[in-house]
């Protein structure tokens, strides 16, 4: 649905690239890290999403003729514009697998390329990865609450404009089964689902005729919205009538939907009446301002709800609405680089890196990822990133490398993964984390540490820059 | 940048449309209202935005061949698919002007068309109008705080994916002067602006060479980011050095940017040092987690900041992140329609309507909009929508009609308005509202009332539906 060209970026990326070009640095190698600093939703983990979207865009990341005309009008150097004519992203990406469980501070993805291309893609990466990671994480929390109930994304109408498209993609990765968003369903092969609106019922002179017409039109997929007039006195009664009519035709009513009122109370009343009418197979769907907390409460009240339609709170990633992912320089101009900060937690890490997940002898998670230099092959001793007095040694453990080559010289290294593959992988990975990491309140903190070599490199550089710039 | 086809919708719109088609209702007329129920940000007003985007999409709102193949695979009726082949939106829109000040409960826009087309466009309208209205309103609040300082949208990296595109558009309408978002700048003719990133400075061995190279490359637009190492000890000093070098070449440094630390304190120190160096013309720009409250505080501290770069909090519309706009049926199948609700505030209004803004003899706002039937030509008596005991008569006042025809039978009625026209109009309209409506805390409540005729029609219908469905 989207056409992305290389102007999908902040102007300053292009302004900086012009300087790099003029100074011959477009031939120098640069390495950038993508990572975030704070877990969303005060939760214990995040689900990395958006990688395939990024790879697809990067394979064809160029300036169009009209882009170049526009940039020329903005006063950019004509020789640089000439260079941009042939610009094509030819960098190399090493990344966490899409759907994997990721944590703050440690690199999620690394970009290697020449200074120009590595800088130009910053905005695209942040824009796509921050948002999809936010939404996949939100979806996974809702999945956690919902147990084995079906989850459908209903968020398009309140989404942040066209952000809805990738929100639906990320929601599927995080644990939703379907979406109401037809464009996203079509392009990403997500099952699409929907019921009816109040306006449909209102457009008829009476509710039962509205239900009947809908059932005749959709013999296999009818879900009747029963709260337009009065849920229990009118809607439920008419739904049962039409459900029995469908039964007599050898069809079956798929479900009813509650969109207002006390969902637990109403669902219980509806379940009882449906069962008494012999409509045991009819599912109950609920919607209306749901999120992981409301669904958790409904489950605790044993509201017999089979399907939850979740809208706004899912697709905007309420209440955070943004992930604070950043893209920081780790190597340039032949040298490792860091960003200093008065705030120690904002210090970055130099060099090409690897991240290892530590497992015990049984293969279970040890509760820590260690960041190392890329060439290190294990990571069984790690140091606290900011507190020199703390370190851990993992005995009788193994190290699983988490960053994998996904693009080399601008070419993808494997066929695009399907969403269902990503979702399945994500579920498997999340299942390794105990309840303590997944709970909503004060979750257990997963540890991130640095290898001795990386720590030493970082602290040397830090002292170097402190000295030369003060 | 975006390609919208008619699958930019929720599935249930298509499911309902199939029933309408099969029952011959695609020839029946329907009227829907777009409105919202709650002002964002606990503020006193909202700025309507997104209309031109909607009109542009609606003029070419059709299903592609691949859309139709996809829908066929979803099990839709082949005759209905055949009908959709020739589907084109041919409805009529009556709307508030884009940029106008709008309030809850009253219609912002009305759609008239056949049942199918009027239903199918619901999701598109909600998706585009809810988000742009949210962001234009947020931008206008930030504009209010910023006084005559320049405002630049820096939000793309933390925006909700491609939502950034229309966020930048709406921010301009609400009062921003420029954006870092090149794609939006190009397509919407918004001035683009940007400085440099920390990575630029880090990619050099020393800060002053980084500044110098940038200045040589951008003699007219150089804004130096001075907090990479140490703002006052290093960055400011090097910026002054390079500023003086530019001066000696007959150029001038445009500005410096602060992106961390105590912005008010640092800005005062920088202003003093720049002035002492004879660099009075160099502007000070600030960024880092700004919003209307932080900027208000900086202004109160008299921080000498000329330019604010606002990112995340602007483009996600923090803290609300969504506007609760809805699209409700007002007329169908030859009859006026309403949606009942146990919550009186959720009751909708039937019929084709007009909204009048009341002004006193001097032309000043009287603080109220009256909703009437479309054919009523004035609105100087209004009733509280939900409290029968309250009504107001406006003596010696006039009524300004707020809803205007903008599209007829699928064709726009005027040439597309430029963003600057919309922004200028919006500023003029907002200026009519006194400070009491614009303040952030407990703003004055603008009144919305119903004419006698509309109230009577609504209450009759309400009683009618209550009786037949209970």
């Amino acid at each position: 649905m989207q056409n992305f060209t290389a102007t999908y970026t902040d102007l300053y990326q292009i302004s900086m690239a012009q300087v790099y070009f003029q100074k011959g640095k477009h031939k120098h190698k640069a390495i950038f890290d993508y990572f975030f600093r704070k877990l969303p939703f005060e939760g214990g983990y995040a689900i990395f999403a958006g990688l395939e979207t990024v790879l697809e865009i990067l394979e064809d990341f160029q300036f169009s003729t009209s882009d170049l005309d526009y940039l020329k009008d903005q006063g950019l150097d004509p020789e640089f514009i000439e260079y941009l004519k042939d610009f094509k992203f030819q960098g190399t990406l090493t990344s966490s697998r899409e759907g994997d469980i990721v944590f703050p501070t440690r690199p999620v993805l690394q970009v290697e390329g020449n200074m120009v291309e590595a800088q130009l893609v910053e905005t695209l990466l942040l824009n796509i990865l921050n948002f999809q990671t936010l939404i996949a994480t939100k979806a996974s929390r809702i999945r956690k609450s919902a147990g084995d109930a079906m989850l459908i994304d209903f968020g398009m109408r309140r989404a942040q404009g066209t952000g809805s498209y990738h929100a639906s993609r990320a929601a599927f990765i995080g644990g939703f089964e379907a979406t109401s968003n037809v464009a996203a369903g079509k392009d990403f092969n997500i099952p699409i689902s929907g019921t009816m609106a109040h306006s449909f019922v209102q457009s008829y002179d009476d509710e039962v005729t509205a239900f009947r017409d809908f059932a005749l039109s959709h013999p296999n997929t009818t879900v009747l919205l029963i709260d337009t007039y009065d849920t229990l006195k009118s809607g439920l009664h008419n739904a049962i009538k039409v459900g029995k009519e469908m039964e007599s035709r050898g069809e079956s009513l798929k479900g009813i939907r509650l969109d207002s009122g006390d969902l637990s109370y109403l669902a219980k009343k509806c379940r009882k009446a449906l069962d008494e009418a012999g409509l045991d197979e009819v599912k109950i769907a609920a919607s209306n301002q749901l999120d992981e907390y409301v669904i958790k409460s409904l489950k605790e009240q044993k509201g017999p709800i089979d399907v939850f339609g979740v809208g706004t709170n899912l697709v905007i990633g309420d209440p955070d609405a943004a992930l604070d992912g950043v893209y920081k320089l780790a190597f340039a101009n032949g040298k490792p680089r860091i960003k200093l900060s008065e705030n120690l937690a904002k210090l970055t890490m130099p060099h090409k890196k690897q991240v290892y997940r530590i497992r015990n002898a049984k293969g279970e998670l040890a509760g820590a990822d260690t960041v190392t230099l890329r060439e290190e092959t294990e990571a069984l001793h790690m140091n606290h990133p900011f507190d020199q007095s703390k370190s851990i040694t993992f005995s009788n453990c193994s190290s699983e490398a988490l960053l994998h080559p996904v693009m080399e010289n601008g070419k993808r290294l494997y066929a695009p993964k399907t969403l269902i593959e990503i979702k399945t992988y994500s579920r498997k990975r999340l299942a390794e984390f105990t309840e303590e990491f997944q709970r909503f309140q004060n979750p257990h903190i997963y540890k991130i540490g640095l290898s001795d070599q990386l720590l030493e490199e970082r602290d040397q550089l830090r002292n170097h820059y402190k000295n030369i710039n003060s």
Side-chain angles (χ1 to χ4, degrees), chain A:
Chain A
M1 193 194 72
Q2 312 274 343
N3 297 322
F4 293 90
T5 70
T7 52
Y8 195 77
T9 190
D10 290 304
L11 176 62
Y12 78 173
Q13 315 289 8
I14 299 174
S15 307
M16 293 187 281
Q18 173 170 304
V19 186
Y20 297 144
F21 167 76
Q22 290 169 335
K23 295 289 163 184
K25 295 190 180 198
H26 55 303
K27 291 166 188 162
H28 292 186
K29 181 176 169 174
I31 300 174
F32 283 86
D33 291 354
Y34 168 69
F35 64 99
F36 56 91
R37 294 193 174 113
K38 192 171 161 288
L39 284 167
F41 316 120
E42 298 182 351
Y45 66 93
I47 292 186
F48 174 50
L51 177 63
E52 290 288 334
T53 309
V54 161
L55 294 177
E56 189 186 329
I57 297 168
L58 284 184
E59 275 213 317
D60 195 29
F61 201 63
Q62 299 177 59
F63 292 92
S64 69
T65 308
S66 75
D67 286 342
L68 294 169
D69 290 345
Y70 174 70
L71 292 176
K72 205 168 177 183
D73 291 345
Q74 300 295 317
L76 289 178
D77 176 358
E79 281 185 45
F80 177 56
I81 301 275
E82 198 61 33
Y83 165 77
L84 291 183
K85 267 186 193 163
D86 298 321
F87 173 81
K88 207 176 161 341
F89 180 76
Q90 294 184 305
T92 291
L93 268 62
T94 312
S95 177
S96 303
R97 293 214 163 96
E98 185 163 9
D100 201 2
I101 313 307
V102 292
F103 298 94
T105 312
R106 50 147 279 202
V108 173
L109 179 152
Q110 271 199 319
V111 175
E112 301 167 56
N114 69 54
M115 273 305 297
V116 167
E117 66 192 359
Q119 186 78 65
L120 276 179
V121 302
E122 171 177 9
T123 309
L124 170 75
L125 264 71
L126 292 175
N127 177 270
I128 299 291
L129 301 177
N130 282 339
F131 181 52
Q132 291 199 40
T133 299
L134 179 81
I135 302 304
T137 306
K138 182 73 177 177
S140 121
R141 292 164 63 84
I142 298 171
R143 174 80 277 160
K144 177 82 185 155
S145 284
D148 54 5
M150 183 179 183
L151 288 173
I152 310 176
D153 149 33
F154 278 179
M156 192 175 187
R157 60 192 50 212
R158 303 272 170 83
Q160 297 214 336
T162 58
S164 61
Y165 185 67
H166 288 132
S168 297
R169 179 184 188 278
F172 187 78
I173 292 173
F176 275 58
E177 273 87 17
T179 182
S180 68
N181 185 332
V182 182
K186 179 187 172 215
D187 290 0
F188 298 124
N189 200 22
I190 304 169
I192 53 174
S193 184
T195 62
M196 61 172 59
H198 296 116
S199 61
F200 182 82
V201 179
Q202 288 169 261
S203 77
Y204 282 78
D205 292 340
D206 66 290
E207 191 176 46
V208 73
T209 310
F211 286 1
R212 193 173 282 137
D213 280 3
F214 198 93
L216 288 167
S217 181
H218 300 284
N220 304 312
T221 57
T222 289
V223 177
L224 300 168
L225 177 64
I226 65 170
D227 70 339
T228 303
Y229 300 113
D230 186 304
T231 302
L232 298 179
K233 287 187 197 156
S234 170
L236 176 61
H237 178 76
N238 288 328
I240 288 173
K241 187 183 281 183
V242 170
K244 297 305 283 184
E245 290 171 8
M246 292 182 81
E247 200 175 53
S248 72
R249 293 197 296 272
E251 299 161 1
S252 60
L253 176 61
K254 194 172 170 195
I256 57 170
R257 175 162 73 102
L258 303 166
D259 189 43
S260 57
D262 188 311
L263 298 174
S264 175
Y265 169 81
L266 293 172
K268 285 175 188 170
K269 290 281 183 186
C270 289
R271 185 73 274 156
K272 187 158 181 283
L274 289 166
D275 290 352
E276 283 172 4
L279 296 171
D280 316 55
E281 301 297 309
V282 176
K283 305 280 190 212
I284 297 178
S287 51
N288 194 22
Q289 306 287 347
L290 301 180
D291 64 12
E292 63 269 48
Y293 300 101
V294 177
I295 292 174
K296 187 165 185 278
S297 167
L298 289 168
K299 283 286 189 182
E300 284 164 1
Q301 298 163 67
K302 305 200 188 308
I305 298 166
D306 308 290
V307 181
F308 293 100
V310 188
T312 315
N313 295 318
L314 166 68
V315 298
I316 66 171
D318 184 73
D320 291 16
L323 181 76
D324 73 350
V326 293
Y327 185 79
K328 295 291 174 188
L329 190 69
F331 190 93
N333 218 354
K335 293 180 189 167
R337 306 278 166 175
I338 60 166
K339 159 99 176 70
L340 297 183
S341 174
E342 285 160 38
N343 181 351
L344 202 58
K346 285 195 165 188
L347 198 61
T348 66
M349 302 179 207
H351 285 292
K352 207 187 282 194
K353 292 178 285 290
Q354 181 54 278
V355 183
Y356 289 100
R357 186 151 291 172
I358 313 301
R359 295 171 184 281
N360 67 21
K362 292 180 189 163
E364 296 161 345
L365 296 183
D369 288 357
T370 307
V371 191
T372 70
L373 295 176
R374 182 74 60 86
E375 60 268 23
E376 297 184 69
T377 54
E378 59 148 49
L380 298 179
H381 178 76
M382 74 180 205
N383 304 283
H384 191 285
F386 312 117
D387 182 344
Q388 293 196 354
S389 67
K390 290 182 180 168
S391 73
I392 308 178
T393 301
F394 300 95
S395 47
N396 206 12
C397 281
S398 62
S399 312
E400 176 203 2
L402 299 179
L403 302 184
H404 305 275
V406 294
M407 175 171 266
E408 203 172 288
N409 303 326
K411 296 282 166 219
R412 303 173 64 141
L413 293 174
Y414 55 84
K417 289 193 195 287
T418 64
L419 265 198
I420 190 82
E421 285 175 316
I422 297 167
K423 179 205 196 88
T424 305
Y425 173 73
S426 188
R427 191 189 305 147
K428 198 186 84 188
R429 296 291 279 186
L430 183 59
E432 294 191 292
F433 287 80
T434 58
E435 290 294 323
E436 287 76 12
F437 290 103
Q438 294 189 54
R439 72 178 176 233
F440 297 158
Q441 288 191 322
N442 296 319
H444 204 69
I445 293 169
Y446 193 86
K447 292 189 175 62
I448 301 295
L450 275 55
S451 71
D452 292 344
Q453 285 186 53
L454 177 59
L455 185 75
E456 194 185 323
E457 286 279 344
R458 189 196 69 177
D459 289 346
Q460 269 184 14
L461 263 181
R462 188 180 162 208
N463 293 331
H464 170 73
Y465 283 109
K466 274 195 155 176
N467 294 334
I468 65 158
N469 288 288
S470 63

